[in-house]
Amino acid sequence: VDVARRAGVSIATVSNLLNGRDARMGAETRARVERAIAALGYQPNRAARLLRTGRAGMIGLLVPSISNGSYAALAHEVEAVAQAHDHRLIVSNTYRDPALERSLLDDLLSHGVRGVIVISASGLQDAAELAERGLVAVEYDSRAWPGEPPVMDHVSVDHAAAAALAVEHLATQGHRSMAFLSPAGRTLSRAAKIAGFRKAAHNAGVRATVLEGQGASAFGDSELAEIGEALSARIVAHPDRPTGLVAVNDMMAIGLLAGLRKAGWSCPEDVSVIGMDALPLTAYTLPALTSIRSPQAEMAALMVERIARRIADPALPAEEFLFSPSLVDRASAARPPMPERDHP
Amino acid sequence: VDVARRAGVSIATVSNLLNGRDARMGAETRARVERAIAALGYQPNRAARLLRTGRAGMIGLLVPSISNGSYAALAHEVEAVAQAHDHRLIVSNTYRDPALERSLLDDLLSHGVRGVIVISASGLQDAAELAERGLVAVEYDSRAWPGEPPVMDHVSVDHAAAAALAVEHLATQGHRSMAFLSPAGRTLSRAAKIAGFRKAAHNAGVRATVLEGQGASAFGDSELAEIGEALSARIVAHPDRPTGLVAVNDMMAIGLLAGLRKAGWSCPEDVSVIGMDALPLTAYTLPALTSIRSPQAEMAALMVERIARRIADPALPAEEFLFSPSLVDRASAARPPMPERDHP
DNA sequence: TTGAAAGCGCTAACAC
DNA sequence: GTGTTAGCGCTTTCAA
């Protein structure tokens, strides 16, 4: 109203300009309005705009814990993409609690958020219902139900391939007995990694063990590292004497490295360790951690783009996108101590 | 409207119940309304509420980069507190760019956000103007201008004390020459740490050097670690032979550790290193990193509480809150190699 | 090319 | 105790 008055036009004209409907607006009128906007330092009230249009200019991100380095890195990428589209990012910790997840989703909806990226332990149950209520959700790092057409978009790295990459790298170095380390809870992504690990080990003809730690709902950096450290005791005592270790993620690998060291084993001389996520800091551990990297920036860009497209066209069929992981070859994975000799 | 119709009451009654004005509402009416709400799965539209009341139920958090572990940890704490108050958290990366910071703040305002926590390199210039426009800002980890009454709330750990803690710990172990390592840009918190370092070193009667790396705007984990690694070369070549090293934060310390190691120096035998932030992962480095911890959870709680109080009462005088850091004594700081002998 | 007016869903002042 | 109603700031037909 103030801008319109100052420019001597109606509020509709101002609104038209603001919303790009200025194709055939008088150049002089446009200039007057623009001057008024600048002079008044006017900024549109987004709440009112949202109320009217249903578009909030915000997207949601639900992560188990934002202090987990891997999710923090994802959040960074997502925020960067969102910022480039002039959108804000609402972040919430879900602690892998499905009920909380659910209520957070409801709440985002009531805030006018129409698009959300979710990292869910168990998969979103009522995706269809959410879609009906106008919420476009994309699941990160979880797969659709095999066989059925996906009910929502899934953007994930190929966890099975990631595990296979680790196994093959170790097998190439000569390891014949490997172990996969994970916390106790079976999230979808962990299950996929474990399956991939088993299959690749089978294909490579090596012995495979899966070791699960305590603490079902571990998602914080310290819990993860702690579990890794605790698991090292089971490694050194294991009858199969695994020499190639694959950790479900980098923080577990870091804990594992510390535990192994305390037990007097050195890496990579006595055991090889491969992590997953390729966090920046893994380049600086001792030894520098060999790890598996996901193309997070591209995944973030795709997720935001999919959300934008499905908001524009809700009929857009859901798809599953699978990204290929890559191995970051550093110092923690090398040849096993004495290949084959004491295991005929 | 739907709820009111179903419950056979007016919308005002529904609104009254929803907003706690139900003190003298008929028990039977209340029950009917509640049943209708449940049956319809009704959720209030927050955009409309915001438009009417000006309260968005969201708070903002502006960090240089959310992928930086220390800010991610802070974000986690802040989100937890906000969630407990049924508020959502909007997070944005500022990349330490004052212009971006400024436009993000404007944008949050237009989204209806009334409270924001800012980590700013240079301090918020126009805090007074923001306050006038209805934005309550709290600065994290930066101090008010000394002498003048603070124009906004500041919540910070005492950086000078943190540096002093590190210096004293090293001095107690016998170190007589120390260096402080930092990236090149002088943020307020870095400046405070450096001043505290210098002063404490002077008090302890030890030699003090401040070494700055390249890369003025380093806030990402990898840049920080990289600078730390690069700085190690200047340490080993330094004429003063500093044996006690204090890094501006943990990621730099981790990079430093890696660089020193490559140069053939071992820690803590040849040099001692102390980091700052006490990130969870520092318990698992080799050697486990001695570091300085801030009470982040308490600081987060205070910031959210201050925001709530100042929104309720804009006249509330601004204050500066200083928290005491504590030393986490681990393995990276010990006695210097040969105390005093080759430096008469 | 511009303007008038309806209405998004809610809250709160006020009337009953 | 409960209901009526104005209006938050905006977008968007529709009319001029």
Side-chain angles (χ1 to χ4, degrees):
Chain A
V1 170
D2 292 341
V3 171
R5 185 164 35 218
R6 186 177 177 114
V9 297
S10 81
I11 57 171
T13 302
V14 178
S15 174
N16 283 339
L17 177 60
L18 251 28
N19 292 282
R21 281 184 299 273
D22 59 347
R24 41 196 180 189
M25 184 178 286
E28 209 269 337
T29 311
R30 179 199 276 99
R32 265 212 325 276
V33 175
E34 279 167 350
R35 241 178 294 121
I37 288 176
L40 264 33
Y42 168 78
Q43 291 228 197
N45 176 324
R46 302 218 184 219
R49 176 178 290 176
L50 164 59
L51 187 56
R52 188 60 231 241
T53 64
R55 269 161 295 160
M58 301 188 292
I59 80 168
L61 175 66
L62 263 36
V63 294
S65 163
I66 187 62
S67 66
N68 176 308
S70 152
Y71 300 137
L74 178 70
H76 181 106
E77 301 298 345
V78 171
E79 199 281 336
V81 181
Q83 200 175 107
H85 289 62
D86 198 26
H87 274 55
R88 295 302 138 243
L89 183 69
I90 296 187
V91 178
S92 290
N93 298 314
T94 64
Y95 308 102
R96 290 233 167 88
D97 172 350
L100 181 55
E101 227 165 56
R102 180 61 221 227
S103 86
L104 251 9
L105 249 12
D106 282 342
D107 193 74
L108 288 178
L109 215 32
S110 97
H111 273 286
V113 172
R114 302 277 307 276
V116 66
I117 295 169
V118 185
I119 301 171
S120 172
S122 43
L124 250 34
Q125 290 83 347
D126 2 62
E129 190 221 318
L130 285 174
E132 206 158 297
R133 297 215 276 146
L135 222 213
V136 172
V138 176
E139 269 203 273
Y140 175 82
D141 253 9
S142 96
R143 304 283 301 271
W145 275 112
E148 293 171 38
V151 61
M152 65 197 300
D153 283 341
H154 291 259
V155 172
S156 175
V157 72
D158 187 337
H159 292 297
L165 228 40
V167 169
E168 284 153 20
H169 185 68
L170 291 170
T172 305
Q173 318 267 341
H175 293 266
R176 311 305 300 157
S177 175
M178 304 181 190
F180 187 90
L181 297 309
S182 154
R186 281 288 172 95
T187 65
L188 294 171
S189 60
R190 281 179 205 153
K193 287 176 185 173
I194 292 173
F197 171 78
R198 286 223 155 91
K199 183 153 174 229
H202 179 81
N203 289 347
V206 303
R207 261 165 301 149
T209 314
V210 172
L211 256 30
E212 297 193 5
Q214 307 301 312
S217 61
F219 39 74
D221 279 3
S222 25
E223 294 99 309
L224 252 7
E226 201 175 318
I227 293 172
E229 183 166 30
L231 245 21
S232 66
R234 303 200 10 220
I235 293 292
V236 304
H238 202 280
D240 262 7
R241 302 196 154 267
T243 58
L245 272 25
V246 183
V248 75
N249 59 39
D250 286 337
M251 283 310 297
M252 267 208 64
I254 286 172
L256 193 58
L257 245 25
L260 256 11
R261 192 188 302 136
K262 283 186 192 157
W265 287 34
S266 55
C267 172
E269 292 76 11
D270 300 321
V271 254
S272 287
V273 173
I274 297 185
M276 293 195 180
D277 289 341
L279 299 178
L281 73 101
T282 55
Y284 298 92
T285 53
L286 180 63
L289 193 67
T290 295
S291 188
I292 311 287
R293 167 174 291 147
S294 312
Q296 270 192 330
E298 289 155 52
M299 295 170 81
L302 176 65
M303 291 192 288
V304 174
E305 190 224 330
R306 286 298 292 184
I307 286 175
R309 285 185 52 187
R310 307 200 87 215
I311 288 177
D313 173 18
L316 192 71
E319 281 185 55
E320 185 172 8
F321 300 88
L322 221 48
F323 283 75
S324 295
S326 57
L327 183 101
V328 181
D329 191 2
R330 288 196 283 240
S332 66
R335 315 192 56 191
M338 10 177 173
E340 288 308 279
R341 257 189 305 149
D342 50 358
H343 305 300
Chain B
V1 170
D2 292 342
V3 170
R5 185 163 36 218
R6 184 172 178 118
V9 297
S10 83
I11 58 169
T13 302
V14 178
S15 174
N16 283 339
L17 177 60
L18 252 27
N19 292 282
R21 282 184 298 273
D22 60 347
R24 44 196 180 189
M25 184 177 286
E28 208 268 336
T29 313
R30 181 200 276 99
R32 266 212 325 275
V33 175
E34 279 168 350
R35 241 179 293 122
I37 289 177
L40 264 32
Y42 168 79
Q43 293 227 196
N45 177 324
R46 302 217 185 220
R49 176 178 291 177
L50 164 58
L51 188 56
R52 187 60 230 241
T53 64
R55 269 163 292 158
M58 301 189 291
I59 80 168
L61 175 65
L62 263 35
V63 293
S65 163
I66 187 62
S67 66
N68 176 308
S70 151
Y71 301 137
L74 178 70
H76 181 105
E77 302 299 345
V78 172
E79 200 280 336
V81 181
Q83 201 175 106
H85 290 64
D86 198 26
H87 274 56
R88 295 302 137 244
L89 213 223
I90 296 187
V91 178
S92 290
N93 298 313
T94 64
Y95 308 102
R96 289 232 166 88
D97 172 348
L100 181 54
E101 226 165 56
R102 180 64 221 223
S103 86
L104 250 11
L105 250 12
D106 282 343
D107 193 74
L108 287 179
L109 215 31
S110 98
H111 273 286
V113 171
R114 302 277 308 276
V116 65
I117 294 169
V118 184
I119 300 170
S120 172
S122 42
L124 251 32
Q125 292 81 347
D126 2 62
E129 190 222 317
L130 286 173
E132 205 157 298
R133 298 215 276 146
L135 222 212
V136 172
V138 177
E139 270 203 272
Y140 175 81
D141 254 7
S142 96
R143 302 284 301 271
W145 275 111
E148 294 172 39
V151 59
M152 65 197 299
D153 284 341
H154 291 259
V155 172
S156 174
V157 72
D158 187 337
H159 292 298
L165 229 40
V167 169
E168 284 153 20
H169 186 67
L170 290 169
T172 305
Q173 318 266 341
H175 293 265
R176 311 304 302 158
S177 175
M178 305 182 191
F180 187 90
L181 297 311
S182 153
R186 282 288 170 96
T187 65
L188 293 171
S189 61
R190 282 179 204 153
K193 286 175 185 173
I194 292 173
F197 170 77
R198 286 223 155 91
K199 183 154 175 228
H202 179 81
N203 289 348
V206 303
R207 260 165 302 150
T209 314
V210 172
L211 256 30
E212 297 195 5
Q214 306 300 312
S217 61
F219 39 75
D221 280 2
S222 25
E223 295 99 309
L224 251 8
E226 202 174 316
I227 292 172
E229 184 167 28
L231 244 23
S232 66
R234 300 196 16 217
I235 293 292
V236 303
H238 202 280
D240 262 6
R241 302 195 155 267
T243 58
L245 273 26
V246 183
V248 75
N249 59 39
D250 287 336
M251 283 311 297
M252 268 207 63
I254 287 173
L256 193 58
L257 245 25
L260 256 12
R261 192 189 302 136
K262 283 184 193 158
W265 287 34
S266 54
C267 172
E269 291 76 12
D270 300 320
V271 253
S272 287
V273 173
I274 298 185
M276 294 194 179
D277 289 342
L279 298 177
L281 73 99
T282 55
Y284 298 92
T285 54
L286 181 63
L289 193 66
T290 296
S291 189
I292 310 287
R293 166 173 291 149
S294 314
Q296 271 192 329
E298 289 154 53
M299 295 170 81
L302 176 65
M303 291 191 287
V304 174
E305 190 224 329
R306 287 297 292 184
I307 286 175
R309 285 186 53 189
R310 306 200 88 215
I311 288 177
D313 173 19
L316 192 71
E319 282 185 53
E320 185 171 8
F321 299 88
L322 221 48
F323 283 75
S324 294
S326 57
L327 183 102
V328 181
D329 191 2
R330 288 196 283 240
S332 67
R335 315 192 57 189
M338 8 180 173
E340 288 308 279
R341 257 188 306 149
D342 51 356
H343 304 301

